[in-house]
Amino acid sequence: MEDQRVRLALERHWAASDAGDFDVEHEIYHDDALLEYPQSGERIHGRREIQESHFAQPNKKWFSVRRITGSANLWVTEFVLNYDGKSSDAVSIMEFHNRLVAKETQYFTEQFAPSPSRAHLVER
């Protein structure tokens, strides 16, 4: 039952993020949540600061969630993030405490061309 509640909260979070609804998007975070972007070395502390960082983002964005998986206090969302027409695959790892996100870590990748050495093994 609790896992279903978290899944619904995550679906609401990502839909709100895609729609630009900053209030609903950030309901999922603890007041003292931590957001980390390991690739840039950024750490943002606090729900209000996380919300402000998302609001200040100048790019036009949209999300497409591929998969949400997890249980108990650890959940992973795989999604495609599109900023101004450029897509990146992304992973969000959320750690919950008392039904709210205490820590989120996000990883982003750029697409790359398939390797010719694997061409005979790949399904397209």
Side-chain angles (χ1 to χ4, degrees):
M1 185 63 158
E2 188 62 28
D3 284 355
Q4 184 62 23
R5 185 182 313 235
V6 172
R7 178 177 294 285
L8 291 172
L10 285 167
E11 290 171 357
R12 178 177 161 90
H13 165 77
W14 292 114
S17 182
D18 185 47
D21 186 338
F22 293 102
D23 291 329
V24 172
E25 176 184 8
H26 294 89
E27 289 174 348
I28 201 168
Y29 295 100
H30 266 285
D31 287 339
D32 62 347
L34 172 64
L35 173 60
E36 292 184 319
Y37 299 114
Q39 290 160 293
S40 65
E42 295 170 281
R43 294 169 52 102
I44 302 169
H45 289 270
R47 177 181 16 194
R48 281 186 292 188
E49 289 76 7
I50 293 168
Q51 183 175 9
E52 185 177 336
S53 75
H54 291 162
F55 183 76
Q57 179 57 255
N59 306 76
K60 182 177 170 120
K61 66 176 172 54
W62 58 260
F63 291 86
S64 176
V65 173
R66 285 190 178 146
R67 178 170 68 146
I68 297 173
T69 188
S71 66
N73 295 328
L74 186 61
W75 289 79
V76 176
T77 303
E78 297 174 50
F79 60 99
V80 175
L81 172 62
N82 186 297
Y83 274 126
D84 294 334
K86 184 177 180 185
S87 292
S88 294
D89 294 306
V91 174
S92 166
I93 302 169
M94 291 183 170
E95 299 174 40
F96 284 78
H97 179 70
N98 293 333
R99 297 185 180 171
L100 294 172
V101 174
K103 181 180 179 188
E104 178 180 17
T105 305
Q106 287 191 356
Y107 297 94
F108 303 90
T109 65
E110 292 187 14
Q111 295 181 356
F112 56 89
S115 170
S117 67
R118 296 189 298 265
H120 65 288
L121 303 170
V122 174
E123 295 178 15
R124 302 276 282 137

